Amino acid sequence: MHMTLLNAHEGIEYRIRAVDTGDEEMDSFLFSLGCYPGEPITVVSHLKGSCVVSIKDGRYTIDRALADTVAVA
Amino acid sequence: MRIALAGNPNSGKTTMYNSLTGRSEKVGNWAGVTVDKKEHLIKKSLGGDTPIIAVDLPGAYSMSPFTAEESIASAYVKGENPDAIINIVDATNLSRSLFFTTQLLELGIPVVVALNKADINSAKGTHIDAELLSAALGCPVIQTVSTTGAGLDKVISAVVSLMGKGQKAPYVQDDIDLSHKASVIEADKKRFAFVNSIVEKAESRKVLTKDRNFQDKIDDILTSRWFGIPIFAAVMFLVFQISQVWVGPYVADTLVAWLEGFQGWAAGLMEGADPFLSALLIDGMIGGAIAVIGFLPLVMVMYFLIALLEDSGYMARVTVVLDPIFKKVGLSGKSVIPFVIAIGCAIPGVMASRTIKNQRERRAAAMLAPFMPCGAKIPVIALFAGAFFDNAGWVSFVMYSLGIVLIFLGALLVNRVAGHKVRKTFFIMELPEYKAPSLWRAFKSMCSRGWAYVVKAATIILLCNTAVQIMQAFDWGFRLAESADSSILASLAGPFAYLLVPIVGVLSWQLAAAAITGFIAKENVVGTLAVCFAGLNNLIDTEELAMLEGTGTEIAGVMAITKAAALAYLMFNLYTPPCFAAIGAMNSEMKSSRWLWGGIGLQFGVGYTVAFMVYQAGTFIATGSVGAGFLPGLMAILAITAAVLYFIRKADRGIKSEYALSGAAA
């Protein structure tokens, strides 16, 4: 099954497989936060319309559209 | 010498800058508070005899900028050759921060790393070996707490000792083709790998960030599907209720009594002087300024409360809560921050739109932020609430709520006129850790903004009041006008008074003059009304901020307008274009004269339409027939509507032809 942050389970650490937002600047912005293939990522909670993720030692909230562009395994 | 403060967003750069220089620049617990470069000499107690200028820069995650304010940081350190860089590193997120650090170390400029938020780390049991880090990075690493100023003296002496020396980079990027995307990514990955290897050795953690903690539970409630918005509404309601009903007015009473004592004393000194001079000085200058300063406590209490909110970390959560709603009108949660800041003042509110990546959204936020009534509009609201509505709390609440509604409607309109195409936009916001807001910092923020308010009242407002008083006293032949109606002011403002008839129901050059001076500064509306309606002046200046004591009807009598008209006139002043300074800020953020004029046009149109509808509907409900000037007003509204429809159709055609073109190309 194709798994993205959208259907990732809360509290489980995943590895990022791919990040493709279709927007180069957005991709490299996510990169500078430490969100790129091979890195660990954890969904802390799913909210209405968004989810809270933990990347490196930061917490971010990202909307569903963005969450769907980060493939994890 | 010049030292630049650089680092990730929300790492504490401006807090450190304030501690170093003694300034009180705006700080807040979210990413992207600082949107512009600021510089100032650092305190003698820290810098000694060497004059050192600290340069505060907006935060950035890396040297390649994402948004407009991030580019300021990289452009400065690359282009302006600072003598040294203090790299503020958020010690709670070392692994992310050091990516930027290694890039800064490549510039050849001496770098001192300030390992900030050391206090949070020790509370969490996270230990960072500063010596090991220093050896690995090849630069001094000093633990700091910028909220208390701990470690700053060491940072400065480290900077001074490095003066004139270069900087060796611990990690140098391979020589790669920067235009080739894949090789840039590879190089950046290697850089992160280098950072990770350092962090692994230098850092030991007891609490892992990925684990759910107590703060996440708070987040669950504050950003929950059902409670998020009601909580936000309740918080904002409390801010207004406390500042404008519960606490503010009581402090205002004392202040006004004191100011009146001063005015009476000054009037005593002027006894026997030329009556014109005495009127100019006592009623015009002092009276007008007092009318404005009397509202200072309301404004200051609100600044205090907003500073607490900004310090707590709640603002970032508000953007999360409101993002889904704002998406519906083509904006995103990011635009919430400009709107909330605009409650204090529209200028920083408009500037805060800089952190929005999408250009259309950024411009829309810049033109819509002034719909939030700012601090300068509080006196206007309070004056009318007191004069016509028995100081009812709902007046102020309605004004802010309507401001929010207008932002939504305005955003929809901007989309249609600007030809918004449905396309993917992403929202990402860092959630900073909550912290107990510092009362002392909120107090300082309140004082510095309150002081700015007093200075404004004592300069611009005073000057305007004086000019208004003089123009009202003389006719064009520079003789004392027989009555105010034949004065220069009456003839200048007279033509505009016709435009206001459909809003206030009477031809009043005084109201027109006040609205016009309001474009210079909104407090002027109060000052000018105080000067123009001589009787009003005395009413505002009676003992206990008169309006609280039921003189309301009397002021209404002097102004000779109905309640519906008063409400309409108030709304006209709140929702038309803000002061010139805010328009200047809109101009510099929008960077397009078309958008600027569009924005001003939108604000005029909205202000006029809302005021017209309120007055006419209110009059109809109260008397059973529409108010004066209904037909001309209706025609004006229809003209505005027609213009808007024209622009929408033009935009639609533009989109259609664009789609047709891309279709043909494909």
Side-chain angles (χ1 to χ4, degrees):
Chain A
M1 194 183 90
H2 179 67
M3 194 166 200
T4 67
L5 290 179
L6 261 191
N7 46 25
H9 293 286
E10 291 178 7
I12 295 175
E13 189 173 89
Y14 293 88
R15 292 269 149 195
I16 298 171
R17 278 199 301 115
V19 179
D20 186 15
T21 62
D23 173 353
E24 227 172 88
E25 288 182 56
M26 191 70 201
D27 285 351
S28 68
F29 176 70
L30 291 174
F31 186 100
S32 66
L33 301 180
C35 178
Y36 57 91
E39 287 295 296
I41 192 165
T42 309
V43 175
V44 178
S45 54
H46 288 287
L47 300 168
K48 177 196 177 192
S50 61
C51 61
V52 179
V53 294
S54 165
I55 307 168
K56 289 192 175 283
D57 288 309
R59 280 261 193 293
Y60 309 86
T61 175
I62 59 180
D63 63 4
R64 296 177 63 86
L66 190 54
D68 204 27
T69 65
V70 180
V72 294
Chain B
M1 61 181 283
R2 220 165 261 273
I3 44 175
L5 274 62
N8 284 180
N10 207 29
S11 56
K13 293 174 295 300
T14 303
T15 308
M16 184 172 291
Y17 173 84
N18 285 344
S19 300
L20 287 173
T21 61
R23 307 282 294 169
S24 47
E25 298 296 348
K26 186 178 179 61
V27 291
N29 186 14
W30 75 89
V33 181
T34 308
V35 293
D36 221 342
K37 187 186 79 165
K38 302 204 170 66
E39 53 179 59
H40 198 267
L41 269 175
I42 72 168
K43 287 185 209 158
K44 270 238 160 74
S45 56
L46 285 164
D49 290 332
T50 357
I52 303 176
I53 296 170
V55 184
D56 186 28
L57 297 169
Y61 292 107
S62 79
M63 289 297 276
S64 31
F66 181 60
T67 49
E69 98 276 6
E70 275 190 42
S71 64
I72 294 173
S74 56
Y76 185 86
V77 291
K78 269 192 241 166
E80 304 281 324
N81 287 318
D83 296 289
I85 297 171
I86 299 177
N87 172 217
I88 291 95
V89 162
D90 180 348
T92 65
N93 197 344
L94 191 65
S95 50
R96 183 192 69 200
S97 312
L98 289 185
F99 184 80
F100 188 41
T101 305
T102 58
Q103 289 181 324
L104 290 172
L105 286 166
E106 275 185 47
L107 296 169
I109 301 167
V111 174
V112 173
V113 167
L115 210 49
N116 204 24
K117 305 193 188 177
D119 53 336
I120 302 183
N121 262 2
S122 43
K124 278 192 187 172
T126 303
H127 179 76
I128 295 174
D129 188 338
E131 273 176 41
L132 195 153
L133 200 58
S134 168
L137 293 172
C139 70
V141 175
I142 293 149
Q143 308 249 18
T144 59
V145 182
S146 59
T147 48
T148 63
L152 292 195
D153 47 342
K154 284 187 205 152
V155 171
I156 292 301
S157 57
V159 167
V160 171
S161 70
L162 289 178
M163 217 15 69
K165 295 180 188 152
Q167 175 70 51
K168 237 177 115 299
Y171 175 85
V172 181
Q173 189 167 298
D174 302 335
D175 210 8
I176 55 156
D177 178 8
L178 287 173
S179 61
H180 188 233
K181 197 185 155 200
S183 53
V184 172
I185 292 178
E186 268 325 296
D188 281 347
K189 274 191 185 174
K190 278 189 198 158
R191 184 186 295 277
F192 250 132
F194 171 75
V195 167
N196 289 344
S197 71
I198 296 181
V199 173
E200 212 167 290
K201 277 179 270 174
E203 185 187 77
S204 67
R205 283 184 168 263
K206 281 209 183 104
V207 182
L208 293 180
T209 313
K210 66 185 178 69
D211 295 335
R212 270 181 74 86
N213 53 37
F214 181 63
Q215 301 220 350
D216 292 313
K217 287 187 186 138
I218 303 179
D219 276 346
D220 282 350
I221 299 168
L222 291 187
T223 62
S224 81
R225 185 186 297 251
W226 303 113
F227 300 117
I229 289 171
I231 290 175
F232 174 62
V235 167
M236 292 322 283
F237 179 77
L238 272 182
V239 168
F240 300 130
Q241 192 70 13
I242 294 173
S243 61
Q244 287 164 51
V245 180
W246 290 342
V247 180
Y250 294 97
V251 192
D253 287 355
T254 325
L255 178 68
V256 169
W258 186 80
L259 288 172
E260 257 142 35
F262 171 74
Q263 192 183 19
W265 175 77
L269 289 186
M270 294 291 289
E271 214 164 299
D274 179 56
F276 168 72
L277 256 183
S278 134
L280 172 71
L281 199 70
I282 306 299
D283 297 335
M285 293 177 68
I286 301 181
I290 287 179
V292 174
I293 293 180
F295 293 103
L296 178 67
L298 280 70
V299 180
M300 281 180 75
V301 173
M302 195 176 76
Y303 283 158
F304 182 77
L305 297 172
I306 289 183
L308 289 182
L309 272 188
E310 290 175 339
D311 208 17
S312 67
Y314 181 54
M315 294 281 278
R317 276 72 186 185
V318 175
T319 69
V320 180
V321 169
L322 296 182
D323 179 63
I325 308 179
F326 275 86
K327 277 222 177 86
K328 292 202 167 79
V329 294
L331 297 175
S332 79
K334 283 261 161 148
S335 39
V336 176
I337 286 182
F339 300 150
V340 176
I341 292 179
I343 296 173
C345 173
I347 298 162
V350 169
M351 284 175 67
S353 66
R354 201 175 294 175
T355 59
I356 301 170
K357 173 85 178 145
N358 179 287
Q359 192 183 46
R360 181 192 51 78
E361 198 189 316
R362 181 170 65 246
R363 287 168 164 169
M367 78 163 69
L368 297 172
F371 281 130
M372 280 316 289
C374 66
K377 290 171 180 168
I378 290 179
V380 191
I381 299 174
L383 172 71
F384 280 85
F388 292 89
F389 303 100
D390 211 12
N391 213 45
W394 62 262
V395 177
S396 151
F397 188 69
V398 164
M399 293 307 140
Y400 286 95
S401 311
L402 186 59
I404 297 171
V405 172
L406 292 179
I407 284 173
F408 277 110
L409 297 178
L412 281 173
L413 200 62
V414 170
N415 283 342
R416 294 303 304 272
V417 173
H420 167 55
K421 283 175 282 184
V422 184
R423 52 174 273 243
K424 255 196 210 170
T425 52
F426 300 114
F427 173 68
I428 175 164
M429 184 84 195
E430 183 168 0
L431 293 178
E433 287 192 36
Y434 291 104
K435 66 173 193 215
S438 151
L439 294 177
W440 171 240
R441 219 138 1 108
F443 178 75
K444 276 204 329 199
S445 156
M446 170 184 87
C447 289
S448 83
R449 296 170 83 171
W451 176 245
Y453 182 95
V454 172
V455 168
K456 198 170 158 199
T459 53
I460 301 173
I461 312 292
L462 191 73
L463 212 66
C464 288
N465 287 340
T466 312
V468 165
Q469 173 80 5
I470 291 173
M471 286 199 290
Q472 185 193 230
F474 289 99
D475 62 16
W476 285 101
F478 283 98
R479 290 174 300 267
L480 278 176
E482 280 169 28
S483 73
D485 288 333
S486 59
S487 67
I488 298 178
L489 189 67
S491 66
L492 280 181
F496 297 98
Y498 286 97
L499 295 176
L500 289 185
V501 170
I503 293 176
V504 294
V506 290
L507 192 62
S508 165
W509 59 265
Q510 289 95 335
L511 293 179
I516 294 167
T517 55
F519 294 123
I520 299 169
K522 284 295 167 195
E523 297 97 328
N524 267 332
V525 175
V526 172
T528 303
L529 287 178
V531 175
C532 282
F533 294 106
L536 173 70
N537 195 6
N538 294 327
L539 286 175
I540 295 181
D541 295 343
T542 46
E543 279 196 327
E544 299 196 339
L545 196 63
M547 290 150 297
L548 297 173
E549 294 295 305
T551 45
T553 43
E554 288 176 61
I555 300 184
V558 176
M559 275 196 223
I561 53 174
T562 62
K563 281 189 177 184
L567 203 58
Y569 179 72
L570 171 59
M571 289 177 175
F572 177 76
N573 280 302
L574 296 186
Y575 306 127
T576 46
C579 58
F580 286 138
I583 293 176
M586 277 163 58
N587 183 35
S588 54
E589 296 309 320
M590 290 180 176
K591 295 193 174 63
S592 150
S593 59
R594 260 179 62 206
W595 272 84
L596 178 68
W597 287 109
I600 295 173
L602 174 85
Q603 290 160 351
F604 259 119
V606 166
Y608 199 81
T609 309
V610 168
F612 173 78
M613 293 197 306
V614 166
Y615 171 63
Q616 298 294 346
T619 309
F620 187 79
I621 293 166
T623 67
S625 61
V626 290
F630 178 72
L631 271 185
L634 190 66
M635 273 151 65
I637 304 299
L638 288 177
I640 294 172
T641 315
V644 169
L645 288 176
Y646 167 76
F647 284 119
I648 290 177
R649 289 197 50 172
K650 207 172 131 191
D652 285 350
R653 272 204 301 274
I655 291 179
K656 263 189 204 142
S657 65
E658 221 174 287
Y659 274 129
L661 277 177
S662 58

